[in-house]
Amino acid sequence: MKKWIAILSLASCLSVSSLAGAAPAAETNVSIRSFEPTSFIKSDGTYWIWGQNQSVPTQVHGLTDVSQELTSQLVMKEDRSVWYWERSSLSSAAQVKPVKELDNAAFFYSNWDKLLTVDGQGKVSVLPRKEGKWDITQITPLSGIDNVADITNYYESYPKDGFQRLVFLKKDGTVVKDTASPQVFAPIQALDHITDIDRNLALKADGTVWTWATEFTGAETPASPVKAQQIKELSNIKNIITNGNTNLAIDSQSRLWYWGATITGWSDGTVYHKGAVPILLNSITDVADAVVAERSLLVLSKSGKVYEASIEREAMPANPAFKLLASEVSQIKSGGRHVIMQKKDGTLWGWGVNKNAELGYGDYEFMHSEAVPVQKAITVELNAEPAVLTSGVITRNGQAFIPLRSIFEKLGASVAWDDKLKTVTIVQKESDKPGTTILINYTTGETKLNNEVVQLANKPFGINGTSYLPLRFISESLGAKVDWVQKEDRISITMN
């Protein structure tokens, strides 16, 4: 289950190696305190996100002392206060608001239309989602339920309808689910001494795994009693994992069991083949964790290796072939169609579908079948003030490429883009000296300074509508000074 304990822009390239040594994307970085599939928190309390319009980790300015991401647009600070954030545009700092009603929450759980928060006494409150945002003005207690220790959800299917059901694990080890009637919760029979729930799976303290039906013929109703059944093939289980279609269990011998869906076909021809009986996968051992992403099973071994096996088949065999993806890994998290892994040196690596830059790698390639490094979180300052960027720093071949449209303007320059010619013109005018004009052609790579051709060490490039230029050349041309503070992962730009 998933819960939380508590437009065109222009850019420049700074050669990090020419300032204070190389800074490759996968350089040791122990500053990441915690991470999720498309975000992380650094040890300095800054909060960084990627995906959609940001191809690499981008700081959410306006937030400090963050200790936990609760869900999209809600974070908890070191003092356990909860804050909501939003931005009016990609180039603006975040607007932050305290949500005092949620302070000191024990944990949070969200699905697509509501956020549930649970306090230390197990009482639940609900925030609805409106127009893609959490409505922090409509926090209401969820009556009829208390002493909650965990929350998950699953989908109930009927011939003509379906319902998303919330499931609550209570502190006494029993399990209840919501019903068609508001504030009415029905016990799931045969469940007691439960230690973990994930969708329609429950793990008992004795290591047995239990499940209950989610598909109905129509004779039943949402109010009909639900009774769980033991999965006889499973015993001495320590961990259960499911995405709703595919189920996994890890037993006390660190072995992996698999049941549920495999997949064939694509688009409208996609077929899910349901394997009802758990299979012991004997081609993988020493299992510490496992996730399913896209059409693959990824397994983290106790020795820190991550292996991948395809689930694109009509049935899962007992001995699927596993491919080594990464080593020295300490954690792995699934984003549904991609995974993010943290290595023991603190770096983050991504694998899987990347159509919306889910891997934070700095591109929009649809899929990366090999592990790629999530780009480093590098802060940029202009005259000692944080620079708000539309997308974060991209590091390639020991050089940092930095989006700087707003910085150019603050350096006294104007920026003009010619979409037909694919050129950018940067002009700085000063009353007491000749002006400066920089012309860059993104088709040919030609760059001119005051109408003289200049040979650049790095050819300009663009990613998803954002153009990148060599910062050293731009800064020297416009009179700025640039410093790389390696120990702080910070680039300082100074303009007199």
Side-chain angles (χ1 to χ4, degrees):
M1 57 134 283
K2 176 65 171 173
K3 71 177 179 181
W4 291 265
I5 303 297
I7 95 184
L8 175 75
S9 63
L10 292 168
S12 305
C13 165
L14 165 64
S15 176
V16 175
S17 59
S18 68
L19 292 174
E27 179 185 322
T28 298
N29 184 348
V30 295
S31 64
I32 296 175
R33 173 185 294 161
S34 62
F35 73 97
E36 296 297 337
T38 55
S39 67
F40 59 69
I41 300 167
K42 292 183 70 174
S43 56
D44 61 4
T46 56
Y47 177 58
W48 301 70
I49 62 172
W50 65 89
Q52 299 296 335
N53 294 306
Q54 287 92 18
S55 66
V56 296
T58 306
Q59 185 177 354
V60 180
H61 289 278
L63 290 173
T64 58
D65 302 319
V66 178
S67 63
Q68 301 173 45
E69 178 191 55
L70 305 178
T71 182
S72 174
Q73 295 180 268
L74 281 169
V75 300
M76 179 175 281
K77 293 195 174 187
E78 293 284 358
D79 62 1
R80 298 196 61 77
S81 63
V82 174
W83 295 75
Y84 171 82
W85 68 271
E86 61 180 343
R87 290 182 299 196
S88 57
S89 70
L90 290 175
S91 59
S92 64
Q95 298 175 335
V96 298
K97 303 174 184 177
V99 190
K100 295 187 179 300
E101 297 87 346
L102 303 183
D103 288 355
N104 297 305
F107 70 89
F108 294 74
Y109 178 82
S110 72
N111 56 19
W112 67 95
D113 67 344
K114 60 174 67 72
L115 173 69
L116 290 86
T117 173
V118 182
D119 66 17
Q121 288 71 49
K123 296 180 180 179
V124 183
S125 296
V126 180
L127 285 76
R129 184 188 289 273
K130 293 183 179 179
E131 299 180 352
K133 300 178 181 179
W134 299 121
D135 187 350
I136 61 175
T137 68
Q138 298 293 322
I139 303 172
T140 57
L142 183 61
S143 59
I145 184 75
D146 58 9
N147 295 315
V148 171
D150 204 351
I151 304 173
T152 187
N153 75 83
Y154 69 94
Y155 187 77
E156 283 185 353
S157 177
Y158 295 84
K160 296 182 179 180
D161 210 343
F163 306 89
Q164 196 74 27
R165 292 294 171 219
L166 288 168
V167 183
F168 301 85
L169 171 61
K170 303 192 74 173
K171 293 181 178 181
D172 63 3
T174 60
V175 178
V176 301
K177 73 179 188 72
D178 65 0
T179 66
S181 301
Q183 286 78 50
V184 176
F185 300 87
I188 298 179
Q189 300 173 13
L191 294 186
D192 53 45
H193 299 92
I194 299 300
T195 60
D196 191 18
I197 54 173
D198 198 349
R199 298 186 186 260
N200 68 320
L201 294 178
L203 177 63
K204 282 196 177 185
D206 63 4
T208 58
V209 179
W210 297 66
T211 188
W212 56 95
T214 62
E215 297 182 4
F216 301 96
T217 63
E220 309 89 345
T221 70
S224 298
V226 175
K227 185 175 182 179
Q229 303 290 331
Q230 182 181 352
I231 301 175
K232 300 295 185 181
E233 293 80 7
L234 299 176
S235 61
N236 297 314
I237 300 300
K238 298 299 182 182
N239 194 15
I240 53 174
I241 307 111
T242 181
N243 64 2
N245 291 313
T246 301
N247 311 306
L248 308 170
I250 303 171
D251 65 20
S252 59
Q253 299 178 57
S254 301
R255 302 180 302 177
L256 184 63
W257 295 78
Y258 184 106
W259 73 106
T262 55
I263 309 172
T264 58
W266 293 90
S267 189
D268 293 340
T270 300
V271 178
Y272 290 86
H273 306 272
K274 298 181 180 179
V277 179
I279 299 169
L280 175 62
L281 303 185
N282 54 37
S283 54
I284 192 77
T285 59
D286 192 38
V287 177
D289 199 1
V291 298
V292 171
E294 187 59 359
R295 298 183 177 214
S296 290
L297 166 64
L298 292 97
V299 178
L300 172 62
S301 72
K302 289 185 175 180
S303 61
K305 291 181 170 61
V306 173
Y307 299 91
E308 179 263 337
S310 174
I311 65 170
E312 190 175 349
R313 56 184 87 208
E314 292 187 1
M316 178 63 77
N319 59 343
F322 281 89
K323 169 188 173 182
L324 178 65
L325 281 184
S327 300
E328 299 296 315
V329 175
S330 58
Q331 291 187 73
I332 183 170
K333 294 188 178 183
S334 174
R337 304 189 73 185
H338 76 287
V339 298
I340 300 295
M341 302 169 275
Q342 186 171 38
K343 291 198 173 187
K344 294 176 182 179
D345 64 4
T347 58
L348 296 182
W349 294 71
W351 173 94
V353 171
N354 185 55
K355 63 180 293 187
N356 293 311
E358 292 93 336
L359 304 186
Y361 179 56
D363 68 10
Y364 288 83
E365 291 292 328
F366 180 82
M367 175 82 182
H368 282 284
S369 57
E370 302 291 339
V372 294
V374 176
Q375 290 279 314
K376 226 178 160 181
I378 298 177
T379 303
V380 180
E381 291 182 349
L382 175 59
N383 291 333
E385 294 293 329
V388 179
L389 307 179
T390 56
S391 187
V393 174
I394 294 179
T395 307
R396 290 181 177 176
N397 300 320
Q399 296 180 320
F401 299 78
I402 308 170
L404 285 176
R405 183 181 181 91
S406 60
I407 291 177
F408 281 142
E409 293 168 351
K410 291 179 180 178
L411 292 176
S414 63
V415 178
W417 169 258
D418 189 317
D419 190 57
K420 182 178 180 180
L421 298 177
K422 304 302 179 187
T423 61
V424 62
T425 304
I426 304 168
V427 178
Q428 182 190 59
K429 295 181 180 180
E430 298 185 57
S431 59
D432 59 343
K433 64 177 72 172
T436 300
T437 300
I438 303 168
L439 176 66
I440 297 148
N441 188 313
Y442 277 82
T443 302
T444 66
E446 182 180 74
T447 300
K448 292 182 178 180
L449 171 61
N450 295 329
N451 211 33
E452 295 290 333
V453 176
V454 177
Q455 296 299 321
L456 301 179
N458 303 281
K459 183 179 178 179
F461 63 91
I463 297 177
N464 197 37
T466 299
S467 302
Y468 295 84
L469 306 172
L471 180 59
R472 176 167 294 281
F473 167 68
I474 299 296
S475 62
E476 290 178 350
S477 299
L478 300 180
K481 179 186 177 184
V482 181
D483 292 304
W484 164 242
V485 186
Q486 188 173 27
K487 65 179 181 180
E488 299 177 13
D489 290 337
R490 175 170 56 89
I491 294 170
S492 175
I493 304 169
T494 306
M495 184 72 175
N496 294 326

